[in-house]
Structures are given as structure tokens and as C-alpha cells.
Amino acid sequence: SDIISSHILKEWIGRVRPCHEPSLVGYCKLLIGRCPTSGSFTSSHASNHFAMAVFIFYTLRKLFGKFGLIFIVWAATIAYGQVYVGVHYPFDVICGALLGSTIGLGMSKLYTKLVR
């Protein structure tokens, strides 16, 4: 998920982060020490964490049962944090989460098929 998000989509789309957007000066409060120079779309944090969470959720659901949803909540918290600190737009995080979830689900199905 990181290669697709960071090295393909971010470079191809090149969306400016909210902390670099001149029209948002005064509206966007950066809560970390610096604004990353890479593109904003898609959020690699959201993509990577949702890929891991969905993979774990589906491959270990018999072990965790309904408590497996804690992994999805964990990924959503990380994704929300990217918007909260001012380095991503909500749409970047939503698309990163969808990308990561798709990759995590696909890898889970592949893993389950190969292990059986």
C-alpha cells in the first residue's frame, strides 16, 4: 500500500498539503513541527494502517471475534490524526483508507487461499 500511495499516487497527482496551501493560511493550524514536502493525496498513513488493520481483521477474525474491530478503530484514529494535525485533507484520508482497505482485503484473501 505504501508504494502505491507514496510513490505512485502522490507523485502522479501532486496535490498540495493543506499546511502548504496559501489560501488556508490562518485557517489551517499545523500541530506538528513541520509540514511534509510530499504530496497530500492519498494519505500514506491511512493507506498503510488500514491495509494492516483489514488484513489482520480478516485473517484473524476467528481468533479475535468481535474484538477484531479494534484494529479498524485503531486505523481510523491514525487517519483522523492526519487531518487533525493539518497535514491532510479529509478526502485524502478517506481515499487512503479505501485504498488500504482494498489492498488489505485482497492480501487477506490471497493469504487465506495460499495457506489452505
Side-chain angles (χ1 to χ4, degrees), residues 22-60:
S23 64
L24 293 178
V25 172
Y27 295 105
C28 179
K29 184 175 182 180
L30 183 64
L31 297 178
I32 58 175
R34 64 176 185 82
C35 184
T37 57
S38 62
S40 184
F41 186 85
T42 61
S43 169
S44 295
H45 276 89
S47 176
N48 294 336
H49 286 87
F50 268 94
M52 287 186 288
V54 169
F55 178 81
I56 292 168
F57 177 77
Y58 280 106
T59 55
L60 300 176

Side-chain angles (χ1 to χ4, degrees), residues 44-108:
S44 295
H45 276 89
S47 176
N48 294 336
H49 286 87
F50 268 94
M52 287 186 288
V54 169
F55 178 81
I56 292 168
F57 177 77
Y58 280 106
T59 55
L60 300 176
R61 65 180 155 193
K62 290 180 183 174
L63 178 66
F64 289 109
K66 65 181 177 180
F67 295 108
L69 287 175
I70 194 76
F71 295 107
I72 306 301
V73 171
W74 159 69
T77 303
I78 297 292
Y80 172 76
Q82 298 303 301
V83 176
Y84 185 79
V85 300
V87 296
H88 281 290
Y89 295 102
F91 188 69
D92 301 338
V93 169
I94 291 168
C95 290
L98 291 173
L99 172 66
S101 296
T102 303
I103 292 170
L105 180 61
M107 290 295 104
S108 174

